[in-house]
Amino acid sequence: MSRIGILQIISFFIYLFYQVLILKNIVLFHSAFCFLYIAYLLLLPVETNPLFLMFMGFVMGFAVDVFYDSLGLHALACVFVMYVRNYWLNLLTPQGGYDTSAVPSLSMNGMQWFVVYAIPIVFLHHAILFFTEAGGFGLFWFTMLKIFVSTLFTVLAILIAQFLFPYRRRL
Amino acid sequence: MERLFYFLYRYRAFFTFLLLEVFCAWLIIENNQYQGAKFFNSSNSFVAGLNSFSQDVREYFLLRETNRMLAEENAALRNTLDQRTQVLNSTGITHPVDSSIIKRFSYVSAKVVNNSVHRFTNFLTIDKGSNEGLESGMAVINGAGIVGKIKTVSKHYSVVTSVLNKDVMISALLKSSGYYGTIQWDGYNPDIVQFKFIPRHVKPVVGDTIVTSGYNAVFPPGLMIGIIADVHLPDEALFYDLNVKLSQDFRRLAYVEVVKSNLKVEQDSLEQTIEVLNR
């Protein structure tokens, strides 16, 4: 087990427990949720095998689901987002391509690139999550409001976390 | 055959994706049913242990409010007891007619260790389980009104489907006129639930009390649910749109009581006999 692998496992548990013990209690205005745990999935290295990505998405989503009593809900959204992630990264390839073992973080390509990378993925995740939870499009506008506000909140939290704990190149 | 394997191998990412998504969808559907997966929920002792630690921390900030509520409930209970004794004394009845009717419901007190109000389907976890004789389907109440129904139990914990859950329907009664309908939450506001199926000719007014009807033997009859906050009768509609302000503040739930209905089996089997006869 390499050093990077151990660090990844530790950060997995930090994100998970931070989400289910602290952020679970923070809901602003009865509609803005913060799902910071997807930052862990967003920040997996660029060259990760897509099968492994989806597997990690499933494990993370499932673990969060057990605490939220919503079995399968977060897992569904996470697996979907992880499937899309690599295609999205390919579209956003910066000039000269990615370095080997590059991590798609704020410190790699700067604020603008990271926001463009993160917002659609977070939005997609929240859209799948809230519409599945609502069981269809019955409460369309209320659900849309929840999605928009929560996307804003989550992206803000991810950015703050990136500034507080900048992801160093670990080789 | 070889080409088939090559095809599968080439699109392995997509097929894994499909497999995982189907599995997740199956989990969601399975878990939405009345009794879902038994193990992977917050009544699992590791998860519930962590949750109860987190609740212990949170509780310190709510102590004052919880104390006030418990004291108020105590006072109300003492009042009722006092009135009951006086009535009994004045009428001269000293022993009840049928003890099994008197002992129809028994109560188990439990602490809430996990709670949510912001989702469309909300659940709470309490710290009593099958060791205390709890089973799925039992009613959960507290001093202010109804809370929900037990979904699954483990040894020391149970998960309760809260009234604030889009899939839960509860039979309820307009206390003033005795008409009955159904309570269901629409997912918007955790203070307001909808009271459905009250026909046009009834005249409900703002401030009317809604209580449980006791028709399904789960909730004891006459338990407070809330008061009508807003009456709306669309033209050409068969039923009223009634918004009910819950008497219970679900955001501050700390202690609840589980109702064990001792005659439920008897009532259910009797009703089943009739269904069989009618067939």
Side-chain angles (χ1 to χ4, degrees):
Chain A
M1 178 70 57
S2 64
R3 193 166 147 258
I4 299 175
I6 292 170
L7 283 176
Q8 284 286 358
I9 292 173
I10 293 173
S11 74
F12 176 89
F13 283 106
I14 291 175
Y15 274 115
L16 174 65
F17 287 125
Y18 194 66
Q19 177 68 44
V20 297
L21 293 180
I22 294 170
L23 291 178
K24 192 182 168 192
N25 302 316
I26 301 176
V27 179
L28 301 182
F29 314 116
H30 184 56
S31 47
F33 294 73
C34 184
F35 296 118
L36 184 67
Y37 72 92
I38 56 170
Y40 173 79
L41 301 172
L42 286 176
L43 296 178
L44 286 171
V46 175
E47 306 234 308
T48 320
N49 182 348
L51 294 182
F52 183 73
L53 271 182
M54 282 187 277
F55 177 73
M56 277 325 290
F58 181 76
V59 172
M60 183 54 120
F62 193 84
V64 171
D65 275 332
V66 171
F67 283 89
Y68 273 71
D69 272 317
S70 58
L71 209 55
L73 201 65
H74 287 262
L76 182 97
C78 285
V79 170
F80 192 90
V81 163
M82 284 298 96
Y83 180 66
V84 175
R85 194 193 93 143
N86 272 15
Y87 295 106
W88 183 234
L89 271 175
N90 280 341
L91 281 178
L92 291 177
T93 312
Q95 276 180 340
Y98 297 106
D99 300 341
T100 43
S101 79
V103 171
S105 64
L106 190 71
S107 48
M108 184 183 83
N109 282 319
M111 178 82 162
Q112 202 182 355
W113 183 88
F114 185 76
V115 169
V116 171
Y117 164 61
I119 284 185
I121 289 190
V122 174
F123 182 81
L124 193 65
H125 173 272
H126 287 14
I128 296 170
L129 189 72
F130 287 122
F131 276 118
T132 321
E133 191 191 12
F137 299 98
L139 297 161
F140 187 79
W141 290 113
F142 182 55
T143 316
M144 277 318 261
L145 175 81
K146 269 188 168 182
I147 294 169
F148 277 117
V149 192
S150 305
T151 306
L152 207 69
F153 191 13
T154 305
V155 170
L156 217 67
I158 293 175
L159 285 179
I160 291 171
Q162 294 265 297
F163 277 119
L164 286 180
F165 309 102
Y167 201 97
R168 284 176 302 275
R169 193 74 55 83
R170 291 174 188 132
L171 281 172
Chain B
M1 201 63 189
E2 194 184 317
R3 291 180 70 181
L4 178 68
F5 282 130
Y6 177 71
F7 175 75
L8 287 179
Y9 181 74
R10 193 156 166 224
Y11 293 101
R12 62 192 184 283
F14 180 70
F15 284 115
T16 320
F17 165 71
L18 225 57
L19 201 78
L20 282 174
E21 289 294 54
V22 168
F23 180 65
C24 291
W26 177 78
L27 280 178
I28 292 174
I29 295 162
E30 191 73 0
N31 199 43
N32 269 345
Q33 275 159 10
Y34 188 60
Q35 285 175 26
K38 290 267 183 217
F39 183 72
F40 290 110
N41 57 36
S42 60
S43 73
N44 159 351
S45 64
F46 169 71
V47 177
L50 261 179
N51 275 335
S52 79
F53 166 72
S54 147
Q55 175 73 14
D56 280 347
V57 176
R58 206 177 319 140
E59 219 173 39
Y60 279 101
F61 300 100
L62 297 171
L63 273 180
R64 191 183 294 265
E65 180 70 9
T66 311
N67 260 340
R68 189 187 59 78
M69 270 158 49
L70 290 178
E72 268 174 16
E73 193 185 339
N74 252 343
L77 288 177
R78 206 175 291 269
N79 261 338
T80 336
L81 184 69
D82 216 32
Q83 286 166 6
R84 226 21 87 76
T85 345
Q86 280 177 16
V87 171
L88 280 184
N89 281 343
S90 62
T91 48
I93 303 170
T94 44
H95 56 88
V97 189
D98 184 350
S99 64
S100 70
I101 288 290
I102 298 296
K103 289 178 191 153
R104 210 175 134 188
F105 297 106
S106 49
Y107 299 87
V108 179
S109 164
K111 205 174 105 180
V112 177
V113 298
N114 183 23
N115 187 12
S116 73
V117 297
H118 302 291
R119 290 186 275 146
F120 293 119
T121 50
N122 291 303
F123 299 96
L124 38 116
T125 315
I126 56 175
D127 70 344
K128 294 277 165 70
S130 58
N131 273 4
E132 311 280 332
L134 306 196
E135 287 165 22
S136 62
M138 284 179 172
V140 181
I141 62 171
N142 84 357
I146 61 170
V147 175
K149 223 188 261 185
I150 293 187
K151 186 180 181 227
T152 45
V153 289
S154 72
K155 264 192 178 160
H156 304 289
Y157 295 97
S158 343
V159 175
V160 179
T161 325
S162 139
V163 174
L164 301 180
N165 187 317
K166 277 175 55 187
D167 304 328
V168 166
M169 294 196 235
I170 290 160
S171 172
L173 208 65
L174 251 179
K175 201 178 180 188
S176 57
S177 55
Y179 281 95
Y180 64 91
T182 303
I183 286 284
Q184 195 175 14
W185 189 50
D186 63 356
Y188 281 102
N189 185 341
D191 289 322
I192 304 283
V193 291
Q194 276 55 48
F195 188 37
K196 296 176 171 172
F197 307 127
I198 289 298
R200 286 189 80 96
H201 62 269
V202 188
K203 298 271 174 286
V205 289
V206 172
D208 272 0
T209 311
I210 311 290
V211 295
T212 53
S213 72
Y215 281 169
N216 52 11
V218 174
F219 288 103
L223 270 178
M224 182 73 174
I225 294 176
I227 53 173
I228 294 182
D230 149 37
V231 178
H232 184 56
L233 184 62
D235 296 336
E236 298 168 11
L238 286 174
F239 303 112
Y240 277 94
D241 288 342
L242 296 173
N243 284 332
V244 175
K245 169 117 178 49
L246 284 169
S247 57
Q248 180 82 264
D249 188 349
F250 277 82
R251 279 169 281 212
R252 293 168 185 274
L253 223 48
Y255 286 89
V256 294
E257 281 126 44
V258 182
V259 185
K260 286 197 212 171
S261 169
N262 297 325
L263 296 184
K264 183 176 191 305
V265 180
E266 194 177 326
Q267 182 172 349
D268 284 353
S269 69
L270 187 66
E271 282 170 5
Q272 260 173 21
T273 335
I274 301 219
E275 268 173 32
V276 170
L277 284 179
N278 281 346
R279 212 171 278 159

